[in-house]
Amino acid sequence: MPIARFSPFELVLLQSHSQVDAATLLLQAWVLTHRNGITAGQRYRRLAQEATELVPSDHLQTLMQIAAEHDIQAVQLAAEVLRHESPHEQGMAVMHRTISVATDDGQLSLANHYILRFIADLLGLTPATLETLFEEIAGAPLTAPQDPSRDAYWREHNPAHYRRRAEREAEAERAREEAEQADARRDAERREREQASQQKKQARRDRARAKQERRQRQQEEKDQRRRRDAYERQAHDRRQREEQYRRHQSDYRDRQHQGTGGHRAQASTSPDRTLRALAVLGLSRGASRTEIRRAYRRMAQMHHPDRFVAESESRAAQASMRFQRIKKAHDYLMKTL
Amino acid sequence: MRDLYQRLSLPPKASPRQIRRAVDTCPNRALQQDADAVLTVAEHRDSYDALHATVSDISRLRARLGLSHGAHWQGSVANDFACPPDDAVGQNAALMGRVSQAATHYNRWQRLRGPWLITAAIITAACMGFAGGLALCLRLGAL
């Protein structure tokens, strides 16, 4: 059964005199790679300061390389070694050395905040112990790490970006205002044009309405004239008929006076004529006076010549004749019954 | 420190366009403002991503070492970056296993070195004899 190859850190660990030292060096290298503002050479020299004289320099190179590659398995191995092999006092020493590596320049990078806390948890140090130790070594209390996932952090750390953005926004705002002004100007021009065209349209419409009114007035005058004519003709007809009737009546009277004499009522209420008059009003024999009046009103309304004036002259004339007949029938029945 | 990618349900390798869309459709105004300030600005996003990778590594290490509930691992960091313990075995145990296995192999090799060497010498001699005979036959055939 083949064995997987030993990783570089495993080789370093197996070859070193003290596994705890090698593991501590790897964690220190890890912390150093997360320090801001130092070069690779500075990192290497700082690590060499920490290393005991028994660690060969090619091992240091290897450790720096492993840490720079963020080899999490190697870090895990180092952490396991530290946890299993170091008693509590040595743990304090390891923490001490790691903090001093992390805070040489007096400030702790955000990543090292988390790394130091991880190592403290690994070595079983309480937060109080870590804070005391940190304050002793770095000369400043250990604060909570700042939060770069918030807008406020970047406002504090990169104000230039926000200044630039504000400038850009102001520029955009200015451009938008200019565009709006141009738009407003264009709108005003368009509105003026529309108003002018509307005025023109309005004038045309006014003219058309005046013309129509004139035509209507003419039409009305014509209608009135026609109605007056029809009415006059009717009046003329009626006068003629009345005259005729009078003549007829007088003839009749004369005849009666000449003839049997005295039975005027009987003659004027001949059953035949009463029946015809009732038929004109759409009634049958034996209708009462109120029925006759009601029927007359209905018929008169239906056949009144004024209703037909609008249609044509001949219809109006016909209606006038019907109306006369109805009126006569009613008058006759009222008289006789 | 919050995991903005997780809160916007984005992969950490999301493209700027994906991020833009997620930020625009984010219903939480405060988160939207923060994500807009951090993820849509290239320089902010680079440094945030570096820290995000480190903290993710630490979270994985804590999960493997059983330190997910340490005294120094609290608050939004622990909540957002919590990852389940994976099936990676202890590196130290694995190393010890491999070292002992290598030692066994070494011992076996030391013990069987003599017979193995003799066998190899015989096989080499046989091969050489065969090759010499073949060459001689070819020479005679050619003549």
Side-chain angles (χ1 to χ4, degrees):
Chain A
M1 182 176 142
I3 320 172
R5 255 193 225 167
F6 289 98
S7 71
F9 181 62
E10 285 171 336
L11 290 177
V12 169
L13 207 59
L14 291 174
Q15 289 165 15
S16 63
H17 296 276
S18 158
Q19 289 205 332
V20 175
D21 274 353
T24 311
L25 277 179
L26 180 68
L27 290 183
Q28 284 176 322
W30 193 35
V31 168
L32 278 170
T33 54
H34 285 101
R35 253 180 66 177
N36 299 328
I38 58 171
T39 62
Q42 284 172 318
R43 287 199 181 106
Y44 178 73
R45 281 194 293 281
R46 185 70 187 83
L47 191 65
Q49 278 178 16
E50 289 294 318
T52 53
E53 63 278 6
L54 295 173
V55 179
S57 66
D58 59 332
H59 281 191
L60 284 184
Q61 289 282 10
T62 315
L63 289 176
M64 282 308 299
Q65 203 179 340
I66 293 165
E69 285 165 2
H70 300 289
D71 184 351
I72 164 171
Q73 287 197 333
V75 176
Q76 188 188 346
L77 179 54
E80 283 176 10
V81 168
L82 267 187
R83 189 160 66 168
H84 289 136
E85 318 259 321
S86 69
H88 186 66
E89 297 77 38
Q90 210 175 349
M92 287 288 274
V94 168
M95 195 72 237
H96 194 291
R97 284 158 64 189
T98 316
I99 292 172
S100 69
V101 162
T103 60
D104 273 338
D105 51 358
Q107 52 191 351
L108 191 60
S109 74
L110 279 173
N112 279 338
H113 264 286
Y114 294 105
I115 292 175
L116 284 187
R117 286 178 165 84
F118 165 68
I119 295 172
D121 263 344
L122 180 74
L123 298 170
L125 300 179
T126 61
T129 320
L130 178 68
E131 276 165 27
T132 319
L133 208 58
F134 187 86
E135 201 163 353
E136 275 173 18
I137 298 162
L142 179 66
T143 54
Q146 286 178 309
D147 189 350
S149 66
R150 290 191 188 277
D151 189 31
Y153 174 87
W154 293 107
R155 275 185 198 283
E156 185 187 338
H157 284 81
N158 194 1
H161 165 71
Y162 285 91
R163 229 176 6 252
R164 274 201 305 276
R165 199 170 74 173
E167 278 169 16
R168 262 205 310 276
E169 275 170 10
E171 213 162 286
E173 180 77 16
R174 218 165 26 244
R176 210 177 55 226
E177 266 173 23
E178 277 171 17
E180 270 175 14
Q181 277 174 0
D183 271 0
R185 226 175 302 130
R186 244 194 327 272
D187 270 2
E189 280 172 16
R190 207 185 51 224
R191 223 170 299 133
E192 270 174 29
R193 266 204 306 279
E194 272 176 15
Q195 256 174 5
S197 76
Q198 238 164 20
Q199 275 172 358
K200 229 180 282 170
K201 243 183 266 172
Q202 183 73 32
R204 211 177 306 142
R205 227 176 298 142
D206 283 352
R207 266 204 303 282
R209 200 181 306 140
K211 206 160 145 195
Q212 202 177 352
E213 273 173 12
R214 216 175 317 131
R215 208 178 301 142
Q216 217 171 343
R217 222 163 25 236
Q218 281 173 359
Q219 181 76 28
E220 273 171 16
E221 277 170 15
K222 214 191 286 174
D223 282 356
Q224 267 181 356
R225 212 177 309 132
R226 206 163 49 209
R227 222 173 300 146
R228 211 165 45 232
D229 284 356
Y231 186 71
E232 277 169 9
R233 206 172 312 123
Q234 266 180 22
H236 182 248
D237 283 359
R238 201 161 48 232
R239 262 199 311 279
Q240 264 190 349
R241 258 196 303 263
E242 273 171 13
E243 223 166 279
Q244 221 172 4
Y245 179 70
R246 256 198 309 277
R247 222 177 301 142
H248 188 76
Q249 285 276 337
S250 63
D251 283 359
Y252 185 71
R253 249 196 317 272
D254 288 352
R255 246 182 288 144
Q256 280 213 338
H257 280 298
Q258 285 166 7
T260 56
H263 295 284
R264 178 181 160 194
Q266 196 191 2
S268 66
T269 58
S270 68
D272 190 36
R273 193 163 174 209
T274 309
L275 273 182
R276 261 189 290 136
L278 283 169
V280 165
L281 291 176
L283 295 167
S284 53
R285 192 196 296 268
S288 67
R289 280 180 77 91
T290 47
E291 275 174 353
I292 290 167
R293 195 178 297 122
R294 207 176 295 139
Y296 165 68
R297 289 224 182 97
R298 198 180 64 238
M299 298 293 273
Q301 258 177 11
M302 216 148 68
H303 298 285
H304 199 277
D306 281 359
R307 288 182 61 196
F308 300 93
V309 164
E311 288 182 24
S312 72
E313 278 184 43
S314 63
R315 295 287 306 271
Q318 278 175 4
S320 167
M321 275 167 66
R322 278 201 304 276
F323 183 70
Q324 288 297 329
R325 208 160 64 229
I326 290 161
K327 191 168 168 356
K328 242 159 54 185
H330 169 255
D331 288 348
Y332 172 73
L333 287 171
M334 283 293 135
K335 219 162 25 191
T336 54
L337 287 176
Chain B
M1 171 87 179
R2 298 166 303 164
D3 188 351
L4 293 177
Y5 293 112
Q6 193 203 342
R7 292 193 180 209
L8 293 172
S9 42
L10 284 171
K13 305 266 179 224
S15 67
R17 193 185 301 166
Q18 276 177 309
I19 289 176
R20 187 75 258 170
R21 199 173 325 125
V23 168
D24 287 344
T25 58
C26 174
N28 183 338
R29 295 302 301 271
L31 179 61
Q32 189 177 32
Q33 188 191 356
D34 288 342
D36 189 38
V38 178
L39 296 185
T40 59
V41 184
E43 47 180 328
H44 297 181
R45 191 185 170 194
D46 286 346
S47 59
Y48 177 79
D49 278 355
L51 185 61
H52 185 271
T54 306
V55 176
S56 301
D57 281 352
I58 291 175
S59 164
R60 218 165 304 133
L61 285 174
R62 281 178 178 272
R64 288 183 189 171
L65 294 165
L67 295 173
S68 303
H69 301 284
H72 296 280
W73 189 245
Q74 306 284 346
S76 61
V77 175
N79 284 332
D80 276 16
F81 287 89
C83 60
D86 45 16
D87 49 3
V89 292
Q91 293 288 315
N92 203 14
L95 175 63
M96 287 307 135
R98 281 155 67 192
V99 167
S100 63
Q101 208 176 350
T104 319
H105 278 272
Y106 179 77
N107 279 350
R108 197 177 297 151
W109 166 247
Q110 287 294 332
R111 199 168 61 239
L112 299 174
R113 190 168 53 173
W116 272 117
L117 277 178
I118 293 165
T119 315
I122 290 169
I123 289 171
T124 315
C127 286
M128 282 171 68
F130 183 71
L134 200 65
L136 200 64
C137 285
L138 284 176
R139 180 79 56 81
L140 288 176
L143 284 175

